[in-house]
């Protein structure tokens, strides 16, 4: 299950096969013999011989190519097993900064270089200022083939990402801040068990939003965080707040065959974890003091695997006045309750600075949902300066109000080609959802084109659900699109789609 073999159809170039590994959470045991738990860290070296015309890369601090197309890798810092990763394919690289390069298939390398030139170094420098030195030497990004089913995987020295990030206008470059933040939280200080995955992801979400605030300002970061909170709300509504997976400390109990930590993966460790870290910052009451604590925390636990108890004990030791006040047992906000009670976070950080970006988006969506369109009022709103998350927020509002009155979506499409013709995957997903919800048959081809261009699970499944839940025409579109794209999808995604379309396959 760990080693993914792609046929040429599943790559961007369509000429040569490709192989990659995906270790998180417990798949690397099927790749090489290891203690496959995040509580054990080790250095590694590897020798990989590949056929002519192929290149191998790994999550390693050094690599060299020897004769006979043999590559030798060394990772000199201790890492947990899930971060060992290998790719073999027709790939090339281009430098985009003093310690960063992009890797991709030859047909994507120019786009990758253009999109990320100079960008990564800016994020790394802010990260170092906030959390301490970047210890991994290089920070390279590998753009995976379109069938890669995930957004990103933070393998040290070499983050794997979806090619959906190549929007052509840098509108999605900030997505990489999350993976960069893992360089400190997750890769350097690691959860000792998958039951406390929030230690990796909650701290990384907090770090990502700290970097984003420094680079893009607080209103934009609050808007992005509001999008995250909405996803948490959706997830908890779908599963029920009391579901045992909606705790930060998840009990992963071995049943007859054990349990796969992957099955516990959801929004809770990310967004509820973010809320808990934000609550700790709120207790401190001073951003620069809390930033200093995060640096001390990384320094104290670097290259170790720890539990939530280690984290919280260090927090109280670092702030003795808070320990004296007994902040770990304030009624309703007890640390124990945060960790062990399922449900909505007891504390939510204030996202009101995002209102200055949300309000105009809400008002504009109202105008488009009206019976008679007030074009004068609509044209008075200039969206040319809106960044991705503001446009996403606007489209989410339009989707909630859909179906709109007859003709409105067709008009919206004409007025905003920046949206209806976008190459940005986040905008394309939402535009396709709006097209389906409003039965805009003239643009069904955009849904098919988007699904043909990538196979990311987060984009693919919602569109198949929308098509299958719609009209006869959209169901036919679903079948036609799936038969055209099935061979280029990851096997798990194929099975999920089959399940949606009632073709058998496992959820």
């Amino acid at each position: 299950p760990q080693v993914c073999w792609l046929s040429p159809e599943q790559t961007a170039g369509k000429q040569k096969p490709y192989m990659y590994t995906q270790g998180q959470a417990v798949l690397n045991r099927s790749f090489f013999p290891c203690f496959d738990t995040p509580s054990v860290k080790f250095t590694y070296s590897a020798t990989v011989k590949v056929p002519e015309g192929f290149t191998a890369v790994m999550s390693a601090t050094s690599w060299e190519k020897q004769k006979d197309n043999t590559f030798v890798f060394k990772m000199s810092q201790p890492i947990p097993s899930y971060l060992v990763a290998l790719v073999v394919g027709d790939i090339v690289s281009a430098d985009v900064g003093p310690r960063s390069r992009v890797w991709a298939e030859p047909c994507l390398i120019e786009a990758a270089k253009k999109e990320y030139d100079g960008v990564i170094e800016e994020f790394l420098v802010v990260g170092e200022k906030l959390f301490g030195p970047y210890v991994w030497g290089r920070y390279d990004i590998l753009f995976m083939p379109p069938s890669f089913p995930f957004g990103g995987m933070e393998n040290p020295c070499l983050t794997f990402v979806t090619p959906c990030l190549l929007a052509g206008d840098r509108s999605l470059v900030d997505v990489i801040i999350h993976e960069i933040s893992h360089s400190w939280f997750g890769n350097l200080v690691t959860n000792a068990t998958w039951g406390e995955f929030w230690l990796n992801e909650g701290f990384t979400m907090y770090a990502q939003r700290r970097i984003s605030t420094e680079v893009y300002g607080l209103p934009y970061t609050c808007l992005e965080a509001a999008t995250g909170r909405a996803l948490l709300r959706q997830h908890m509504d779908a599963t029920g707040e009391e579901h045992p997976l909606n705790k930060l400390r998840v009990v992963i109990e071995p049943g007859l065959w054990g349990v796969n930590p992957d099955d516990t993966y959801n929004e809770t460790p990310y967004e509820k974890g973010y809320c808990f870290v934000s609550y700790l910052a709120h207790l401190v009451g001073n951003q620069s003091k809390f930033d200093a604590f995060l640096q001390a925390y990384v320094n104290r636990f670097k290259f170790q695997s720890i539990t939530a108890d280690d984290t919280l004990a260090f927090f109280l030791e670092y702030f003795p006045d808070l320990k004296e006040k007994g902040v770990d047992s304030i009624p309703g906000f007890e640390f124990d309750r945060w960790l062990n009670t399922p449900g909505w976070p007891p504390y939510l950080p204030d996202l009101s600075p995002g209102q200055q970006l949300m309000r105009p988006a809400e008002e504009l969506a109202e105008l488009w949902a009206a019976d008679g369109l007030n074009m004068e009022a609509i044209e008075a709103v200039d969206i040319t300066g809106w960044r991705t998350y503001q446009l996403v927020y606007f489209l989410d509002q339009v989707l909630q109000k859909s179906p709109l009155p007859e003709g409105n979506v067709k008009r919206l499409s004409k007025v905003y080609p920046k949206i209806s013709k976008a190459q940005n995957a986040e905008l394309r997903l939402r535009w396709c959802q709006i097209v389906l919800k409003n039965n805009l048959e003239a643009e069904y081809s955009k849904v098919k084109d988007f699904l043909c261009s990538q196979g990311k699970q987060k984009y693919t499944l919602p569109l198949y659900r929308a098509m299958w839940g719609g009209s006869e025409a959209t169901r036919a579109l679903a079948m036609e699109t799936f038969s055209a794209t099935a061979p280029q999808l990851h096997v798990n995604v194929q099975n999920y789609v089959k399940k949606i379309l009632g073709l058998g396959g496992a959820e």
Side-chain angles (χ1 to χ4, degrees):
Q2 145 63 341
V3 182
C4 303
W5 303 92
L6 304 185
S7 63
E9 299 80 66
Q10 292 173 298
T11 67
K14 311 262 190 256
Q15 301 300 310
K16 294 182 183 177
Y18 195 102
M19 187 279 286
Y20 70 90
T21 67
Q22 169 63 30
Q24 198 175 23
V26 289
L27 295 175
N28 268 344
R29 60 187 70 184
S30 71
F31 172 32
F32 61 96
C34 58
F35 293 107
D36 201 5
T37 159
S39 63
V40 175
K41 291 190 172 184
F42 52 81
T43 56
Y44 79 85
S45 60
T47 305
V48 184
K49 186 173 183 348
V50 301
E52 267 312 309
F54 290 86
T55 299
V57 288
M58 289 190 83
S59 54
T61 39
S62 75
W63 68 285
E64 57 168 314
K65 184 177 176 182
Q66 300 182 337
K67 57 181 190 312
D68 301 340
N69 231 22
T70 299
F71 296 82
V72 178
F73 302 95
K74 278 196 178 66
M75 169 46 91
S76 53
Q77 314 276 30
I79 59 169
S81 54
Y82 75 90
L83 291 175
V84 176
L86 165 70
V87 161
V88 179
D90 178 14
I91 51 173
V92 291
S93 68
D95 285 326
V96 292
R99 48 185 158 171
S100 304
R101 60 171 79 95
V102 287
W103 291 88
E105 293 179 61
C107 60
L108 288 178
I109 196 71
E110 273 312 306
K113 181 173 164 52
K114 201 168 135 239
E115 198 88 353
Y116 279 87
D117 214 1
V119 169
I120 296 168
E121 187 61 22
E122 180 186 10
F123 297 151
L124 283 174
V125 167
V126 177
E128 288 189 299
K129 188 183 91 181
L130 290 169
F131 315 120
Y134 177 78
V135 303
W136 307 99
R138 298 198 61 81
Y139 186 92
D140 289 1
I141 303 183
L142 173 64
F143 289 90
M144 298 293 277
S147 59
F148 185 59
F150 314 102
M153 179 59 215
E154 68 273 10
N155 303 310
C157 311
L158 186 69
T159 285
F160 292 5
V161 293
T162 169
C164 295
L165 294 190
L166 299 175
D169 58 1
R170 298 197 165 186
S171 56
L172 286 176
V173 293
D174 54 342
V175 174
I176 206 72
I177 300 177
H178 181 85
E179 310 307 335
I180 286 175
S181 301
H182 272 304
S183 307
W184 293 273
F185 304 97
N187 296 5
L188 194 51
V189 180
T190 308
N191 48 231
T193 75
W194 291 116
E196 296 191 325
F197 185 44
W198 77 273
L199 284 174
N200 278 15
E201 294 300 348
F203 274 89
T204 294
M205 293 303 291
Y206 188 86
Q208 166 199 324
R209 287 169 182 157
R210 280 296 295 121
I211 294 176
S212 168
T213 300
E214 296 287 308
V215 178
Y216 298 117
L218 189 58
Y220 184 69
T221 303
C222 286
L223 178 62
E224 184 276 320
T227 313
R229 187 180 295 176
L231 288 174
L232 180 65
R233 185 70 270 167
Q234 273 170 18
H235 159 72
M236 288 207 178
D237 288 345
T239 55
E241 281 198 21
E242 296 311 304
H243 195 288
L245 288 185
N246 293 333
K247 295 191 292 199
L248 291 182
R249 186 182 273 153
V250 177
V251 182
I252 298 183
E253 293 197 275
L256 187 58
W257 302 110
V259 64
N260 186 346
D262 270 352
D263 296 340
T264 68
Y265 172 90
N266 61 54
E267 298 294 337
T268 299
Y270 290 79
E271 294 295 345
K272 188 175 180 177
Y274 164 73
C275 289
F276 189 21
V277 181
S278 301
Y279 176 64
L280 298 177
H282 162 75
L283 289 173
V284 174
N286 174 311
Q287 187 67 60
S288 54
K289 276 188 184 164
F290 192 70
D291 288 348
F293 158 73
L294 288 176
Q295 243 189 75
Y297 168 74
V298 169
N299 198 36
R300 166 75 177 76
F301 294 114
K302 61 186 177 204
F303 302 116
Q304 296 177 48
S305 302
I306 63 172
T307 64
D309 293 341
D310 299 324
T311 299
L312 297 169
F314 180 71
F315 175 78
L316 293 171
E317 183 189 313
Y318 189 88
F319 295 110
D321 52 324
L322 292 181
K323 185 176 185 173
E324 217 168 286
K325 277 190 201 157
V327 293
D328 54 341
S329 51
I330 298 168
F333 300 95
E334 301 89 346
F335 288 1
D336 184 76
R337 175 181 167 169
W338 272 103
L339 294 174
N340 298 310
T341 308
W344 194 243
Y347 168 87
L348 295 169
D350 172 25
L351 302 181
S352 60
Q355 280 300 330
Q356 66 185 75
L357 300 175
M358 287 183 221
R359 216 172 289 114
E362 285 163 5
E363 288 164 2
L364 187 58
E366 286 288 337
L367 289 171
W368 278 106
D371 267 333
L373 288 178
N374 178 348
M375 289 315 293
E376 202 180 327
I378 285 171
E379 281 159 10
V381 184
D382 179 15
I383 67 163
T384 49
W386 289 15
R387 293 181 54 82
T388 300
Y389 282 104
Q390 195 171 10
L391 291 167
V392 160
Y393 188 79
F394 164 65
L395 292 177
D396 281 343
Q397 300 291 313
V398 170
L399 185 60
Q400 277 169 23
K401 298 177 195 305
S402 290
L404 302 187
E406 189 66 34
N408 286 20
V409 174
K410 196 172 170 185
R411 190 78 189 270
L412 194 151
S413 175
K414 276 205 180 69
V415 174
Y416 303 138
K418 173 184 179 176
I419 291 174
S420 58
K421 295 194 166 84
Q423 286 308 299
N424 175 319
E426 293 289 327
L427 299 181
R428 285 177 85 177
L429 166 67
R430 286 161 178 89
W431 184 247
C432 289
Q433 288 172 310
I434 289 167
V435 162
L436 293 169
K437 190 91 179 272
N438 290 277
N439 295 317
L440 188 62
E441 295 196 20
E443 299 202 14
Y444 282 177
S445 60
K446 287 187 179 168
V447 179
K448 188 173 176 180
D449 291 346
F450 183 45
L451 289 168
C452 289
S453 73
Q454 54 76 42
K456 187 178 166 185
Q457 192 169 311
K458 179 186 158 191
Y459 301 144
T460 303
L461 302 186
L463 288 177
Y464 277 105
R465 285 194 194 103
M467 287 189 280
W468 203 245
S471 63
E472 280 302 303
T474 62
R475 286 187 147 203
L477 179 69
M479 284 302 202
E480 177 196 325
T481 306
F482 184 57
S483 64
T485 59
Q488 67 190 45
L489 293 173
H490 186 277
V491 62
N492 292 358
V493 180
Q494 275 183 36
N495 285 333
Y496 288 141
V497 176
K498 281 181 186 166
K499 181 87 193 264
I500 293 166
L501 305 183
L503 301 170
E507 183 62 70

